[in-house]
Amino acid sequence: MKLQPLLTGLSFGEGPRWRDGKLWFSDFYVHQVRTVDEAGKAETVVEVPGQPSGLGWRPDGTMLIVSMTDRRLMRFADGKLSVEAELKPLATGHCNDMIVDAKGRAYVGNFGFDRHAGEEPRAAVLVRVDPDRSVHQAADGLMFPNGTVITPDGRTMIIGETFAKRLTAFDIAADGTLSNRRIWAETPNCNPDGICLDAAGGIWVTGAFTHHMIRVLEGGKVTHDLDLGARAAYACMLGGQDRRTLFVVTNSGSGPAIADKRDGRIETMRVDVPGAGLP
């Protein structure tokens, strides 16, 4: 199994989502949300001054975009970008990844601390924004909550804790509250960044500070371990017509210093098990 470049020259890609026959993603340092199709044709959708990250859609088709540096959730509808919710009261660091559930609730993670200023890591809150725009604390004590998936039945959320080297699961109640927190899998050789779920219950996990990407089962069994050589993977998504194309966002490094290098790529490979659940 080997990744093949689909799109090159990105500043730093994040938040890949498959929708309407295209891969949607954020390109951090050029402040753009973009798409690319399976032929490699890319387009810019919208510019987000506060640096876009996580992406998602409500059932009515409204697009939601995490705005990192000003700690906001934005909405993009009818060609207009506007503020959906202020996350500053709960987010103690740059906002980052997000998942939007089938009822349109957005769960947004944040760094918890200023990593690039050299602050010591501290736990963060996962924020939930409901369709009525109300903002709630969904969970606390998460060590850099990052990539997130929801199982096909809508009852379980699994989130990567980058600095704890684990995937953590919660039960999702009908009103969106989270409970029954538990470790889904320890990933001792991987700091989980972006993740995606497949139909056999496996989760593809990108490793923020390693040059490997793994597929892991509940309990921690690793079924695949991809060596990316000099590159690192930061996010992934199972998409394509049959959801068996694994799209992986890679780069030669991370952080503001990478911005001008334009080393970011979207790479792909075919896998046996299709994607499942959300996103």
Side-chain angles (χ1 to χ4, degrees), residues 223-241:
T223 64
H224 297 69
D225 187 340
L226 305 182
D227 186 342
L228 304 183
R231 301 185 67 76
Y234 295 95
C236 57
M237 181 71 200
L238 283 161
Q241 231 176 354

Side-chain angles (χ1 to χ4, degrees), residues 3-227:
L3 292 171
Q4 301 294 330
L6 175 69
L7 182 66
T8 62
L10 307 183
S11 70
F12 190 88
E14 185 57 280
R17 301 289 183 258
W18 181 260
R19 183 179 175 89
D20 298 334
K22 297 177 181 179
L23 188 78
W24 301 63
F25 63 95
S26 293
D27 196 357
F28 270 18
Y29 300 116
V30 293
H31 304 277
Q32 294 176 348
V33 176
R34 305 176 70 192
T35 63
V36 62
D37 63 19
E38 290 186 273
K41 181 185 177 183
E43 297 180 353
T44 299
V45 177
V46 62
E47 296 198 0
V48 180
Q51 192 170 304
S53 183
L55 307 175
W57 288 262
R58 291 216 167 108
D60 65 0
T62 298
M63 185 180 190
L64 300 178
I65 305 168
V66 172
S67 184
M68 296 185 71
T69 58
D70 53 8
R71 304 180 198 179
R72 287 171 164 169
L73 181 64
M74 311 297 288
R75 65 184 285 144
F76 182 61
D78 302 319
K80 182 182 176 184
L81 186 69
S82 59
V83 178
E84 179 72 1
E86 295 283 356
L87 308 180
K88 288 187 193 78
L90 291 173
T92 52
H94 284 357
C95 293
N96 191 24
D97 220 333
M98 171 178 67
I99 192 164
V100 180
D101 73 9
K103 295 184 178 178
R105 296 176 294 228
Y107 296 83
V108 184
N110 73 90
F111 290 8
F113 65 102
D114 191 340
R115 177 182 161 228
H116 301 304
E119 287 186 5
E120 286 296 312
R122 62 177 182 266
V125 162
L126 182 68
V127 181
R128 188 185 86 236
V129 180
D130 288 346
D132 65 2
R133 301 177 65 185
S134 60
V135 179
H136 310 268
Q137 177 175 302
D140 62 5
L142 293 164
M143 294 304 298
F144 209 102
N146 215 322
T148 311
V149 297
I150 294 175
T151 54
D153 62 8
R155 294 179 179 176
T156 304
M157 173 185 292
I158 304 160
I159 187 166
E161 292 187 69
T162 304
F163 282 89
K165 294 186 176 181
R166 67 188 175 212
L167 301 178
T168 299
F170 295 90
D171 293 342
I172 307 172
D175 64 356
T177 57
L178 305 180
S179 64
N180 189 25
R181 178 176 178 157
R182 58 204 182 270
I183 294 175
W184 192 86
E186 300 274 9
T187 59
N189 298 316
C190 180
N191 296 78
D193 200 323
I195 65 176
C196 59
L197 176 70
D198 69 28
I203 294 181
W204 287 97
V205 183
T206 58
F209 308 114
T210 72
H211 297 278
H212 287 258
M213 177 177 179
I214 63 172
R215 179 180 179 271
V216 64
L217 304 177
E218 185 172 9
K221 181 182 178 181
V222 174
T223 64
H224 297 69
D225 187 340
L226 305 182
D227 186 342

